[in-house]
Amino acid sequence: MAAPSPSPHKPRRKAKRGGNGASVLNAHDQGIHSRTPSFPLAGFLWPARGVASEWELLPLILMAAGLFRWAAGLWGYSGFEKPPMFGDYEAQRHWMEITTQLPISQWYFHDLQWWGLDYPPLTAYHSWLCGKIGALINPTWFALYASRGSNDPILKIFMRATVLVSEYLIYVPAVVVFVRRFSRLSGVATWTSSVALVAILMQPATILIDHVHFQYNTVMLGFVTASMSSMLAGRYLWAAVFFVAALGFKQMALYYAFSVFAYLLGNCLFPRVNVSRLLGIAAVTAVSFALLVAPIVIGTLYDAARGIDSRPELDGPPPPLPIFQGITKYLDTDAIYYPIVEQLVQMVHRIFPFARGLFEDKVANFWCALNVAIKLKKYPSELLQRGALLATVASIIPPNLILFFRPRKLLLPLAFATTAWGFFLFSYQVHEKSVLLPLMPMTLLLAGNQGLTKNMRAWVGFANLLGCWTMFPLLQRVDLRVPYAVLTLLWAFLLGLPPTSLSAYFEEGSSLWSQWTTFFVHGFFYLAMGLWHVFEATLTPPPDKPDLWVVANVGVGAAGFSLCYLWCLWRLVVESEILPQKWVGKGTKPKTQ
C-alpha cells in the first residue's frame, strides 16, 4: 500500500489509491479543517500528524488511556459499604472465592442466594486465575464466608488491577488491530485512524461500568472485536474461536451471534459455495465449545469419583431446583453420566435466567417503556417470552439478511451494531449495562470511511452520551455522579459534541434538510437529558410516583435508542448497495469490500 502523506489533513484534489483499492480520505472527508483541527481531540494530537507509523504514537495513546482508567478507579465501586449484598464488586470477588476454595463441581451450585455464579465457564476460569494470584498476596481476601463484603483498600487496588490488566491483554490489543485493519480497508490515513483509536479507547460507558462501577465486560467485548478483526483479515477459523471465547465469557455475546453466523455463512456460499470452509468453521466451533466445557466435565467426573457431592449442605438444605425434576424422570441418577448432565443443565439454568421475568430493573428498552402504559407483569411469563422472542427476531432479521447476502467486510460494525440494538430493545432480561454491546461496534465506526466526519461523530456521540445517561440511575445508587459527569463531558468535549459544543453539526457537501433534521432531533434529546438532570437533582417526585424520574429516563432513552437502531439499519442498507442509487441520494454511494 502506498505510504500516506505525512499530513493527511491537507485537502487533495485527487485521493490517493491504496493497495486495496480504497481511496485515502482527504481532510474534508474526515471533517478536519485543512489548517486547524475542527474538534479538540484532533487538536490534542495535531503535533503528531506527521508521524509515518501508528506504532510511534501507539504507546502514548495506550498510556493516556490507561491513566484515565486508573484515575477513574480511584472512586468508589458498586456496593461499597452497602450491605447486605455489597453490589457487583462483591459478586466478582465472591466468584474468585468459590472457584479457588470449592471443588469445580460445586461452582454453579454453591449458595445461590449470595451471588451464585451465573456466567459461562470462561468467566469462572478467569475468576479462578485472579483468585489464585490474589491469594498469593493475601489469602484472607478470598476466605470462604469470612471475606464477604470486604472493603480492604489493598484488595480494591488488586481488583482494579485485574480489570485493567485483563482489558489490556484482551480488549485493547483487539481494538488496536481492528482499527488498523478497518482503517486500511476504508482507505483512512494513519494519523486519522490514531485519532479514532483514542476516541474509541476513551469511550465513557466502558470506563464507567468496568473501571468505576466494576465489571469485566471489556474481556467479552475484546473477544468479539478480535472475532470481527479476524473476519476483516479473512481468518474465519480464528473468528469462530474468538467468538466462542466471547460466548464462553459472557452470554450477552449472543447479541452478536446472528451477525457472526450470517457473515461466516455468507462467505461460505457467496460468490460460490465453499464446502471446505463451511465444514472447517463448523468443526472449529464445535471443538472450541468442547474445550470450553472440558474442565467442568472432567472436574465433575473427578469429584464424583471421589464421592464429592455437587450440592453439599454447606448452609443447611440446598434450595430446590425445579429444573431437575423433569430430567430425573428420564435419566438414571446413579449412572456415571448423570453428574455431567446435572452440571451442564445447572450451568444453562444459571446462565439463562428465564425464571426472573421479562425484566428485573427499569431499563431503557421497549418492554420497560411499554410497561409504563401497560402493566406487563399481569400477563403470563410464557406469553411475554414469546413476545420478546418474536419482537427480537423481527428486529434482527433485516440487518442479518443484508449481511448474509452482502458479506462485505466494511459492513461488519454496522450489522453488529444494528443487531445488538435489536437485542437490547426487545430481548428478554436486559440490564442497563447491556447497552455496552450495541455501543461497541457503533463506536468502531469512527475508524472507518467518513468515521470522523461531523455526521458520523454526531450519531456515534449521541448514542454514547445517551447510553451513559440511561445508566445514571444505576451509577447514582452507588454515589458515582462525579466520575459520570467528568467522563461523559470530557468525551463530549474531545469530539466536539453537545453540551460542550455544536461543532459536530452542519458541514458543507451534505443535505441541508438532513443536517437540520439531525440537529433538531438530537437537540431535543440533549435538552431532555439536561432538564432531566436539573429536575432529578432539585425536585422530589410525588409520593404516589416515587420512580417518576427513572421512568422518564426509561422513556427518553428507549426512544433515543430506537432512533440509533433505525439510523444503523439505514446506513447498513445504503452501504450495502441493495437499493438503487437514486433512492438513497447523491453522494452517498459507499466504497465497500
Side-chain angles (χ1 to χ4, degrees):
M1 177 176 179
S5 168
S7 180
H9 298 281
K10 295 179 180 179
R12 304 179 179 91
R13 293 183 179 179
K14 295 183 179 180
K16 289 187 177 182
R17 305 296 297 183
N20 55 18
S23 63
V24 177
L25 300 180
N26 59 27
H28 177 74
D29 290 334
Q30 284 295 317
I32 301 176
H33 196 275
S34 59
R35 295 182 180 178
T36 58
S38 63
F39 56 97
L41 180 57
F44 285 129
L45 295 178
W46 195 252
R49 65 190 183 279
V51 298
S53 169
E54 66 267 34
W55 303 115
E56 296 179 46
L57 190 56
L58 184 61
L60 297 177
I61 293 174
L62 298 186
M63 284 189 289
L67 179 62
F68 273 98
R69 282 159 165 74
W70 192 255
L74 296 177
W75 286 89
Y77 49 79
S78 170
F80 177 66
E81 295 185 343
K82 293 193 180 294
M85 297 300 290
F86 299 100
D88 284 354
Y89 176 91
E90 169 61 18
Q92 302 293 339
R93 188 212 61 81
H94 178 61
W95 294 349
M96 297 178 192
E97 173 185 301
I98 63 175
T99 54
T100 55
Q101 301 297 321
L102 295 174
I104 194 170
S105 62
Q106 296 178 2
W107 290 359
Y108 284 96
F109 291 91
H110 175 70
D111 198 3
L112 301 182
Q113 302 305 310
W114 184 272
W115 296 118
L117 182 60
D118 57 2
Y119 279 160
L122 196 53
T123 286
Y125 307 150
H126 175 263
S127 298
W128 176 85
L129 179 61
C130 292
K132 285 294 186 182
I133 295 173
L136 295 176
I137 303 172
N138 189 340
T140 64
W141 289 345
F142 308 110
L144 201 61
Y145 300 111
S147 56
R148 290 184 176 182
S150 173
N151 59 3
D152 184 341
I154 306 301
L155 172 61
K156 175 187 173 182
I157 294 174
F158 171 76
M159 296 290 283
R160 293 294 196 199
T162 61
V163 178
L164 189 65
V165 171
S166 298
E167 183 170 342
Y168 268 68
L169 287 175
I170 306 295
Y171 178 74
V172 171
V175 169
V176 170
V177 174
F178 179 89
V179 168
R180 186 166 180 259
R181 288 175 177 169
F182 194 63
S183 297
R184 286 185 174 182
L185 286 170
S186 304
V188 176
T190 298
W191 184 80
T192 305
S193 67
S194 297
V195 175
L197 176 63
V198 177
I200 294 167
L201 292 180
M202 290 298 295
Q203 182 188 24
T206 54
I207 299 177
L208 283 169
I209 294 301
D210 278 22
H211 297 276
V212 184
H213 187 272
F214 200 88
Q215 277 201 348
Y216 297 92
N217 293 289
T218 49
V219 176
M220 178 269 292
L221 295 174
F223 282 128
V224 174
T225 306
S227 180
M228 295 171 64
S229 183
S230 298
M231 295 177 196
L232 295 182
R235 298 169 181 169
Y236 303 119
L237 300 184
W238 277 110
V241 171
F242 285 128
F243 189 68
V244 169
L247 285 172
F249 196 84
K250 284 201 173 185
Q251 61 270 35
M252 289 189 301
L254 284 170
Y255 279 31
Y256 307 116
F258 282 84
S259 295
V260 173
F261 177 78
Y263 182 80
L264 293 180
L265 183 61
N267 271 282
C268 292
L269 300 180
F270 305 108
R272 58 183 177 274
V273 177
N274 190 328
V275 177
S276 61
R277 177 183 294 172
L278 178 62
L279 294 177
I281 293 173
V284 166
T285 302
V287 170
S288 299
F289 272 114
L291 292 175
L292 182 67
V293 300
I296 297 284
V297 172
I298 296 172
T300 298
L301 288 174
Y302 179 67
D303 289 346
R306 293 188 297 162
I308 296 177
D309 186 1
S310 62
R311 301 167 60 191
E313 297 183 2
L314 298 174
D315 297 328
L321 297 174
I323 192 170
F324 292 116
Q325 295 176 3
I327 65 172
T328 52
K329 299 177 183 178
Y330 308 100
L331 300 177
D332 181 4
T333 57
D334 295 323
I336 191 173
Y337 62 78
Y338 182 77
I340 300 175
V341 175
E342 182 186 48
Q343 191 71 226
L344 296 179
V345 170
Q346 173 68 356
M347 187 191 308
V348 173
H349 175 64
R350 294 294 300 161
I351 292 172
F352 299 103
F354 288 109
R356 298 183 190 177
L358 185 61
F359 56 87
E360 288 183 87
D361 210 345
K362 294 178 176 63
V363 184
N365 76 343
F366 173 78
W367 300 115
C368 288
L370 181 63
N371 189 64
V372 176
I374 304 173
K375 298 305 177 184
L376 297 176
K377 292 187 178 180
K378 66 182 180 182
Y379 295 99
S381 177
E382 295 78 9
L383 178 63
L384 296 177
Q385 289 179 20
R386 294 192 187 101
L389 177 62
L390 290 175
T392 304
V393 170
S395 68
I396 67 175
I397 281 179
N400 289 296
L401 282 179
I402 292 173
L403 192 61
F404 173 69
F405 288 109
R406 294 282 199 279
R408 298 173 176 177
K409 297 175 181 179
L410 296 184
L411 299 181
L412 283 169
L414 276 172
F416 274 58
T418 309
T419 303
W421 279 125
F423 269 98
F424 180 83
L425 286 168
F426 299 108
S427 63
Y428 201 86
Q429 267 292 314
V430 173
H431 295 273
E432 303 99 319
K433 300 179 286 291
S434 300
V435 76
L436 296 177
L437 280 85
L439 288 180
M440 184 274 287
M442 194 170 177
T443 307
L444 290 178
L445 291 171
L446 294 174
N449 191 347
Q450 303 180 14
L452 296 180
T453 57
K454 293 187 175 184
N455 183 63
M456 187 68 74
R457 280 190 289 121
W459 276 100
V460 172
F462 170 72
N464 275 277
L465 295 176
L466 182 65
C468 291
W469 179 74
T470 61
M471 290 189 293
F472 178 79
L474 171 72
L475 300 170
Q476 180 194 36
R477 288 197 293 268
V478 288
D479 302 322
L480 298 177
R481 298 175 185 85
V482 173
Y484 159 81
V486 171
L487 289 171
T488 53
L489 291 176
L490 173 64
W491 201 72
F493 167 74
L494 291 175
L495 293 184
L497 300 168
T500 62
S501 172
L502 298 179
S503 66
Y505 298 89
F506 304 109
E507 62 182 336
E508 298 179 5
S510 298
S511 166
L512 194 61
W513 180 88
S514 174
Q515 292 182 73
W516 276 105
T517 301
T518 302
F519 174 75
F520 278 117
V521 170
H522 288 187
F524 168 80
F525 281 93
Y526 283 122
L527 180 61
M529 287 188 277
L531 291 176
W532 183 91
H533 275 302
V534 173
F535 295 153
E536 185 274 335
T538 59
L539 299 178
T540 302
D544 60 332
K545 295 181 176 62
D547 295 329
L548 176 62
W549 303 129
V550 178
V551 170
N553 184 290
V554 166
V556 174
F561 292 151
S562 298
L563 286 177
C564 293
Y565 166 80
L566 294 174
W567 181 83
C568 289
L569 180 59
W570 173 245
R571 293 285 304 184
L572 182 61
V573 169
V574 171
E575 297 193 18
S576 65
E577 300 176 292
I578 63 173
L579 294 180
Q581 184 63 25
K582 62 181 181 180
W583 289 13
V584 298
K586 297 180 180 180
T588 58
K589 186 175 181 179
K591 299 176 179 65
T592 54
Q593 291 192 16

